[in-house]
Amino acid sequence: MPDNLIRMAVILADGVGHDVLPVATEVIQAAAGACGVEVKPTVYGYGAQRYLEEGSPLPEDVPGLVQDLASKHDAIFFGSAGVDPRVPKEVNCRPLLRELRRGLDLYVNFRPAPLLDRRFSPLLVDVPVDLVVMRENTEGKISSRGEVFKEGTPDEVTVYDDINTYKGIERICRYSFEYARSHGYPKVSMTDKGGGVGIWYRVFWEVAGKYPDVEAEHIFIDTLCAELLRHPDRYSIIVTNDIFGDILSDLCAGLVGGMGMAASGCIHPGRVCMFEPVHGTAPDICFQDKANPFAAVLTGRILLDTLGHRKASELIWEAVRLAVKEDKLTGDLGGRLGTRAVGDYLVETVEKLAKEGGA
């Protein structure tokens, strides 16, 4: 990939992805462009839009589609998968989302939750909050296989495997410590519910021993949930399995302003990665210029940082901070602006910041 070019697939998918991704794409282009990097987006109408136009939300060969997208692009920007009010509930982009994660082996589900303003948090304590959940993205419940016995009877039994491998745990733990070291986070906390035994516990401490400059700790998941409500400032990077990470990342998002602030990246270093806001399709507000674009815009920040464009990612971060400071917000955060107006402000602010900083 040339240092000055990013070929970006923009998959609008279902629901509110159509509102926020075009806005976020413009912000990404402005930030990257200010740093001498061209972003060439290619928009794909998979999901509800394709169903309306062609009668099917996705091509039949979804694994083939994923490999084709990866061969043509440097990054994949994904909107949202699930309910879209224009089509039947079963019509959506979830199969594509699952295959992107599995087919590209995107083992890191990176979900930051920084608190931009005290008024966005339901917490009564006034402390800095900068949390990052590192969720293992290819094992655990997401890859489980199971069987059902005596289905439909009072004696029905369902058994599912919870798959965890040394390789899977070692690489997500290693990524967490590397990220802490490179981005200035002081501590990595591993959470599980294994009674201080088991493969997660053993492998975490094995990896932690290679990073003596980063504090490490183990904490049970139930204790951590309670502690995050009382002392969120005591935690920074949290690494865990698929199911606990899914729950924790939503909890952390709730602590800093809700799902409209929830950005994420599905990452495998050195490979084509996928980046998505995790707020879902929001069918009650999609296509109404009401959706908060911050989650998608901050997802763009992760995309640029992952591709090595740290200065461009910082421009996005500073622009969002100024938007919050100046109340350029959508209704969910107490503002009065629409999706597009917030995006326009962010583009203008990125360009202004770049000029002031000599980018």
Side-chain angles (χ1 to χ4, degrees):
M1 178 182 68
D3 290 340
N4 62 348
L5 175 64
I6 299 172
R7 299 167 301 164
M8 184 172 74
V10 180
I11 302 174
L12 301 177
D14 308 314
V16 79
H18 290 259
D19 299 71
V20 297
L21 253 64
V23 167
T25 297
E26 292 180 5
V27 179
I28 293 169
Q29 287 179 298
C35 299
V37 179
E38 181 184 4
V39 176
K40 286 188 174 181
T42 301
V43 179
Y44 296 90
Y46 298 124
Q49 188 62 39
R50 188 177 188 273
Y51 174 83
L52 292 172
E53 295 173 356
E54 303 181 25
S56 173
L58 295 166
E60 289 187 10
D61 183 10
V62 175
L65 170 61
V66 166
Q67 296 305 316
D68 185 59
L69 288 168
S71 70
K72 294 177 179 178
H73 302 285
D74 305 305
I76 298 169
F77 197 20
F78 189 94
S80 50
V83 176
D84 186 309
R86 302 175 298 168
V87 300
K89 289 184 177 180
E90 66 273 11
V91 174
N92 56 63
C93 251
R94 286 195 179 106
L96 175 56
L97 181 60
R98 287 193 293 267
E99 186 59 32
L100 283 166
R101 292 173 176 172
R102 298 175 186 177
L104 301 180
D105 193 29
L106 304 179
Y107 66 90
V108 179
N109 190 198
F110 171 81
R111 296 194 176 186
L115 180 59
L116 283 158
D117 194 292
R118 171 68 185 82
R119 60 193 157 131
F120 298 160
S121 178
L123 299 177
L124 298 179
V125 292
D126 187 9
V127 296
V129 180
D130 188 6
L131 301 165
V132 177
V133 176
M134 297 288 191
R135 171 191 177 193
E136 206 294 318
N137 207 31
T138 60
E139 299 185 347
K141 293 293 184 183
I142 199 170
S143 62
S144 62
R145 293 178 172 83
E147 294 184 72
V148 179
F149 305 95
K150 301 182 181 180
E151 186 173 2
T153 76
D155 296 318
E156 182 173 334
V157 177
T158 302
V159 178
Y160 281 96
D161 296 324
D162 187 351
I163 300 171
N164 297 273
T165 68
Y166 179 94
K167 174 184 175 181
I169 299 167
E170 190 274 339
R171 65 184 183 175
I172 186 67
C173 289
R174 176 163 35 88
Y175 185 91
S176 300
F177 279 99
E178 290 286 349
Y179 189 88
R181 177 181 282 174
S182 63
H183 287 73
Y185 284 89
K187 180 170 69 171
V188 175
S189 306
M190 189 277 283
T191 187
D192 66 357
K193 191 63 177 175
V197 297
I199 189 170
W200 267 89
Y201 188 85
R202 294 196 308 272
V203 176
F204 172 76
W205 285 113
E206 177 184 318
V207 174
K210 301 175 183 177
Y211 297 87
D213 53 316
V214 180
E215 183 183 352
E217 72 169 358
H218 167 261
I219 183 170
F220 292 138
I221 183 64
D222 47 352
T223 303
L224 177 60
C225 288
E227 285 295 297
L228 284 171
L229 297 177
R230 299 176 63 239
H231 305 291
D233 55 313
R234 295 181 182 178
Y235 300 92
S236 51
I237 292 179
I238 302 166
V239 60
T240 190
N241 62 26
D242 168 63
I243 191 66
F244 291 157
D246 191 19
I247 296 166
L248 274 176
S249 55
D250 284 5
L251 169 61
C252 291
L255 298 180
V256 300
M259 298 307 291
M261 306 292 287
S264 85
C266 294
I267 298 167
H268 187 136
R271 299 191 183 184
V272 174
C273 301
M274 185 266 290
F275 305 86
E276 57 164 328
V278 293
H279 45 52
T281 59
D284 56 326
I285 60 170
C286 62
F287 313 114
Q288 299 176 37
D289 195 43
K290 293 181 179 179
N292 184 350
F294 280 172
V297 170
L298 291 170
T299 294
R301 175 197 176 205
I302 300 170
L303 183 154
L304 290 171
D305 184 61
T306 302
L307 293 178
H309 302 292
R310 180 77 67 87
K311 190 172 184 179
S313 73
E314 290 173 353
L315 282 175
I316 290 179
W317 176 243
E318 290 304 319
V320 171
R321 284 168 56 107
L322 283 172
V324 170
K325 183 178 180 180
E326 298 182 14
D327 288 326
K328 303 297 183 180
L329 309 170
T330 47
D332 59 312
L333 296 178
R336 298 181 179 181
L337 297 185
T339 309
R340 171 56 59 182
V342 173
D344 290 343
Y345 172 85
L346 291 172
V347 169
E348 293 171 6
T349 304
V350 162
E351 293 173 347
K352 180 181 177 181
L353 288 168
K355 291 178 181 178
E356 292 174 350

